[in-house]
Amino acid sequence: MTPQVFRSYQVKATQGYNCTVVQAARATTATPNLFKPVAIVSGGVKETFIGADLGYSNPTNLALEEAVMAFGLSQPVACLVNIGAGNSGHISWKPNNAFSSTMMKLLHQIATNCETQAEIFTKHYIQTPGLFYRLSVHQGLQKMAVDDLNKQGEIKTHSLAYLQEAKTKEQLNNLANSLSSCIEITTLEAL
């Protein structure tokens, strides 16, 4: 599966689709059974997109590759923001003799796990305060399934509770300061 990169800036490579930020966000979050697919027309051609959860649940590496291609290795970086969809809990499986729906669910969990990649980035940038920001609801979404449309109120409740936590408020405040001050902490090459 090859991801589609939506750009609002010019690059030497294939430009891709000319769409709004809202269309791009909806296309990347269009998870089957949860959010509807999104149709985008570019150059007279209509294409329908679904979410990037299989293999690209945490596209941070892809974003860094794109930044290097667009801006070059010497580009200053003030911060790196990683927004998650909530912690789905630990992945586990009790083996049995059949290749069952349980095994299929396990494989889906592994393919859509974005927490492992987030943890790798957190550990990598822990010695550079103010560079890496991970925002993701860490409690309450563990039992949610991809098709839990009827639980959107519960998802909202957990998300709002996360945003009210002192640690989250501090992190958001630090992130806002980092974004508004644009103080170079590193370069793309050093990332």
Side-chain angles (χ1 to χ4, degrees):
M1 176 186 330
T2 303
Q4 173 63 51
V5 177
F6 296 100
R7 299 179 179 99
S8 61
Y9 49 88
Q10 296 295 317
V11 293
K12 293 176 185 173
T14 306
Q15 183 58 36
Y17 293 87
N18 182 16
C19 62
T20 67
V21 172
V22 171
Q23 287 174 312
R26 288 191 57 224
T28 60
T29 59
T31 303
N33 298 325
L34 189 56
F35 298 111
K36 295 177 183 177
V38 174
I40 297 175
V41 179
S42 184
V45 177
K46 178 180 174 181
E47 190 168 352
T48 303
F49 294 91
I50 59 169
D53 61 334
L54 292 177
Y56 292 96
S57 291
N58 188 331
T60 306
N61 281 326
L62 184 64
L64 290 172
E65 289 171 14
E66 177 74 9
V68 168
M69 182 185 68
F71 309 114
L73 289 170
S74 61
Q75 177 67 37
V77 176
C79 65
L80 180 60
V81 182
N82 184 287
I83 302 174
N87 188 335
S88 60
H90 295 286
I91 299 171
S92 64
W93 180 59
K94 295 178 185 172
N96 60 28
N97 293 333
F99 192 81
S100 64
S101 63
T102 303
M103 179 59 124
M104 291 303 292
K105 287 178 185 177
L106 171 68
L107 292 173
H108 185 265
Q109 284 178 317
I110 292 168
T112 59
N113 180 16
C114 61
E115 296 304 317
T116 301
Q117 188 65 38
E119 183 65 17
I120 290 168
F121 277 100
T122 300
K123 287 177 181 176
H124 185 74
Y125 298 120
I126 200 160
Q127 299 301 321
T128 313
L131 176 63
F132 182 72
Y133 295 90
R134 170 70 173 168
L135 301 169
S136 186
V137 177
H138 50 265
Q139 283 298 326
L141 302 181
Q142 289 87 345
K143 302 260 189 237
M144 297 289 174
V146 173
D147 59 353
D148 280 341
L149 276 172
N150 58 341
K151 294 187 178 178
Q152 288 182 347
E154 190 175 339
I155 294 169
K156 180 180 178 180
T157 299
H158 291 295
S159 299
L160 291 174
Y162 169 74
L163 291 171
Q164 293 303 315
E165 292 176 9
K167 185 176 179 180
T168 304
K169 285 181 179 182
E170 179 183 10
Q171 187 176 25
L172 287 169
N173 189 44
N174 291 341
L175 172 58
N177 289 336
S178 179
L179 291 171
S180 65
S181 68
C182 292
I183 297 172
E184 174 188 337
I185 293 180
T186 189
T187 62
L188 286 173
E189 183 174 26
L191 288 176

